[in-house]
Each structure stands twice: as C-alpha cells, then as structure tokens.
Amino acid sequence: MRRHIGAAESGKSTIAKQLKIIHMEGFTKNDIEKAKPIIYSNIIHTFIQILQNMKSMNISFANEQRQSDATILFDIIGRMKDTDPYPPSVLKCMQQLLADDGFQATIKRGQEYHLHDSAEYFLGSLDRIGDDNYEPNEQDILRSRLRTTGVNQIEFEFKLLNFQVIDVGGQRSERRKWIHVFDSVTAIIFCVSLNCYDMTVYEDDTTNSMHESLKLFDWIVNNEFFKSTSIILFLNKKDLFEEKIKTVSLTLCFPEYEGTKSYDDTSRFIQKQFVNRKQSSNKEIYCHLTCATDTQNISVVFDAVTDIVISNNLRNCGLL
C-alpha cells in the first residue's frame, strides 16, 4: 500500500492518473465524460482569473474593443453553468481576448497570482476544446484540475503484487485527514513542485511554497510513525522548472544559494535541502526528478520505485 502526499499543486493527482494509464488500461468512457465539464470549468475560471488580475495589475487591453468582450463574457458566464460547453458567443469572446497582447502579458505574469500550470496548455487548445464534437484526450485529462478533497484510491496489480495507491488532498485544510489513512502503509511518495520556488501557498500570500513543502516533508520523514516506511521523494514538474530557472533566480527562495543557474546544479541543491531534513542517518530517502504529465517518465520511475519497495519489505522481513 502506498500514499501520495505533498503540498497543494505538487502533482500528486496527476501521478495517480498516470498510474491508471500505465497499469489499469487507461481512462474509461466514464472517466472521459467526467473530465469534460472539469475542463470546461478550468478554462472558464482561467479566463476569469486572468481578467480579474489584469484589472488589479493595471494592465490594459492592446485593443480597447476587447473590454466589451470581457464584459459580455462575464455577463454570459454569470447566467450559465461553468461546466457547460461554450455557446458560440462565449467561444468568440474568449478567442478574441486570447489574441490580445495585454491579455497575453497577464498570462506571462501568472506566477504572481497562482495561475494554474496547465493554463497555457488549455488556452492553446481552446479551438479544439470549443468544438461541438470535443472529446478529451489523455493529456487533457492529465492536465485537468479538480481540487482533491478527502481520500481517493486506485488498486492494480504490478509485478505479481497488489497495489493500493491513495491520493490525498494537499491543502492545509485537508492534511488533518491524512493520519486516518496511514495504517499499514508500506511506502510514501512525497511530491514536491520544483517549479514553486518563487511562489506563495494558495492559503496565504506570504508563505513560500517551497518552504511549506520542506516543513511538511520534515514532519513526514522524522515522524516516529514512519520509521520503517520507505520514503520516496518526487521532485516534480522538472520540465517547468528547467525553463523557469533560466530567468528566475533560485535565491528568491534560498538566499544562501551561490551556485550556477544550471538545471543540474539548482535541482541538486533543492534535493539536498529535502534530504538534509532527515534526523536519522539510517533513514534512506529515494529521490527522483519527475514530470507528472509525461507517461513514459512516470512509468520508468514507478518501476524503479516498485523495486525499492519490494527490496525494503524483504529486508524488513529478514529475507535479504
């Protein structure tokens, strides 16, 4: 049995979806139908979020006519369900807003207001998703965002073993529920968003997201309850981090960092910050750099993780 835990927006649920693709014959027809309204809602709320922040950031439309599109969009959205397919009038307004340079400038500053990682992916797919015959593909479902509440579970067989994987909500309000699902756990996969080093947590605008993850990891790795539990650290969203680190300094999160801006040096430094949190020299932490939206990457990593868990269980039983 495994648990996927970590702070909010670290990619836990996406990895759980990948395991369904890799080990459970992919998404069912029901999964696809359930994803549609979530994706429609994700895009609607992305437009609302961008437009609201354009105003608060004093960013103007490049074309003044786009203001009337924004007004029409807010009016129609207020009278429809955000999970419904887009009427032609809504789709036209969104397409015209998306083409505006001021709107695009606000997207580029998305880290300042918690714009979701997949926002640009979905906005770039707007024409396809707005089509009357739209059917979500695997990437759409992987990138769709629905806040995890409570406990979600999937079960599958791999390497002649039965796996029960639990995905738990990462928001602060959800963490008090974690303790109820920790009984008989054999491994914990702790997910961290590498990309969050210059962001603040959703619940407040002062706590750095990476610092929040470090604090949470400290509690997990040094908890007496998990002294014999395998701890696997997924440093996730490596693709987004590799691009961001070229222009956004790691010193925003770690002022003491004196290394280069290279992906290898910066990711190695972050990994060291987490590993150094363990208080027991006997505690092993297994680290992997991951991209939760890359099925091949997660397949290879999960295979390696499974071998680690099997070996540790045999060792704990005195068979190794």
Side-chain angles (χ1 to χ4, degrees), residues 1-3 5 151 153 164-166 168 177-188 219 223 225-226 228-229:
M1 187 183 299
R2 302 180 179 198
R3 300 291 184 267
I5 60 177
V151 176
Q153 176 178 312
Q164 183 184 53
V165 178
I166 307 295
V168 295
K177 304 172 186 177
W178 289 4
I179 198 65
H180 302 299
V181 295
F182 281 146
D183 188 38
S184 302
V185 65
T186 55
I188 290 176
W219 178 77
N223 196 307
F225 200 81
F226 309 123
S228 60
T229 302

Side-chain angles (χ1 to χ4, degrees), residues 107 120 163 187 268 299 301:
I107 293 174
E120 290 192 62
F163 284 84
R268 193 179 300 117
S299 179
V301 169

Side-chain angles (χ1 to χ4, degrees), residues 208-221:
N208 178 277
S209 293
M210 185 68 75
H211 293 169
E212 176 93 345
S213 290
L214 279 164
K215 182 179 178 181
L216 189 55
F217 185 74
D218 192 312
W219 178 77
I220 293 292
V221 77

Side-chain angles (χ1 to χ4, degrees), residues 27-94:
F27 299 118
T28 65
K29 183 70 176 175
N30 188 46
D31 292 330
I32 294 170
E33 286 304 312
K34 282 185 176 180
K36 262 190 190 181
I38 295 170
I39 293 165
Y40 290 141
S41 179
N42 284 172
I43 293 176
I44 287 289
H45 284 279
T46 293
F47 269 89
I48 292 172
Q49 186 182 19
I50 294 168
L51 289 169
Q52 289 175 336
N53 281 279
M54 279 189 76
K55 185 175 182 180
S56 64
M57 298 165 99
N58 293 316
I59 298 175
S60 301
F61 289 112
N63 185 334
E64 292 181 1
Q65 292 182 348
R66 299 291 77 79
Q67 184 58 59
S68 61
D69 287 327
T71 301
I72 292 169
L73 187 63
F74 276 115
D75 178 61
I76 297 175
I77 289 173
R79 294 184 279 109
M80 64 177 276
K81 290 183 179 179
D82 62 4
T83 54
D84 287 343
Y86 311 131
S89 55
V90 168
L91 185 60
K92 182 180 178 181
C93 285
M94 291 195 294

Side-chain angles (χ1 to χ4, degrees), residues 71-257:
T71 301
I72 292 169
L73 187 63
F74 276 115
D75 178 61
I76 297 175
I77 289 173
R79 294 184 279 109
M80 64 177 276
K81 290 183 179 179
D82 62 4
T83 54
D84 287 343
Y86 311 131
S89 55
V90 168
L91 185 60
K92 182 180 178 181
C93 285
M94 291 195 294
Q95 289 167 332
Q96 292 180 159
L97 288 167
L98 191 56
D100 186 85
D101 289 343
F103 192 86
Q104 287 292 329
T106 313
I107 293 174
K108 287 180 171 60
R109 292 175 60 180
Q111 79 278 1
E112 298 177 35
Y113 55 91
H114 299 284
L115 186 64
H116 189 254
D117 292 331
S118 292
E120 290 192 62
Y121 168 82
F122 282 120
L123 293 178
S125 304
L126 182 61
D127 291 348
R128 175 173 61 86
I129 294 170
D131 188 87
D132 290 340
N133 299 314
Y134 169 62
E135 287 289 318
N137 59 35
E138 280 189 353
Q139 274 297 310
D140 294 346
I141 298 174
L142 284 170
R143 292 174 180 272
S144 64
R145 172 64 180 156
L146 181 65
R147 177 183 168 185
T148 304
T149 57
V151 176
N152 298 302
Q153 176 178 312
I154 60 172
E155 296 183 15
F156 57 87
E157 186 177 293
F158 181 52
K159 293 191 175 182
L160 302 179
L161 296 173
N162 292 318
F163 284 84
Q164 183 184 53
V165 178
I166 307 295
D167 176 28
V168 295
Q171 285 82 6
R172 289 173 177 174
S173 60
E174 293 293 319
R175 295 174 197 168
R176 56 187 171 80
K177 304 172 186 177
W178 289 4
I179 198 65
H180 302 299
V181 295
F182 281 146
D183 188 38
S184 302
V185 65
T186 55
I188 290 176
I189 297 176
F190 190 95
C191 298
V192 178
S193 170
L194 282 171
N195 191 48
C196 75
Y197 68 94
D198 67 332
M199 302 177 183
T200 56
V201 298
Y202 180 80
E203 291 87 348
D204 70 61
D205 286 323
T206 57
T207 304
N208 178 277
S209 293
M210 185 68 75
H211 293 169
E212 176 93 345
S213 290
L214 279 164
K215 182 179 178 181
L216 189 55
F217 185 74
D218 192 312
W219 178 77
I220 293 292
V221 77
N222 297 311
N223 196 307
E224 184 69 16
F225 200 81
F226 309 123
K227 63 181 180 180
S228 60
T229 302
S230 297
I231 304 292
I232 298 123
L233 177 65
F234 277 12
L235 296 173
N236 194 34
K237 304 187 181 183
K238 65 176 185 175
D239 54 328
L240 300 177
F241 175 77
E242 188 170 9
E243 286 303 310
K244 179 180 284 189
I245 201 61
K246 294 174 184 176
T247 56
V248 182
S249 175
L250 191 60
T251 57
L252 288 174
C253 179
F254 301 107
E256 70 276 20
Y257 179 69

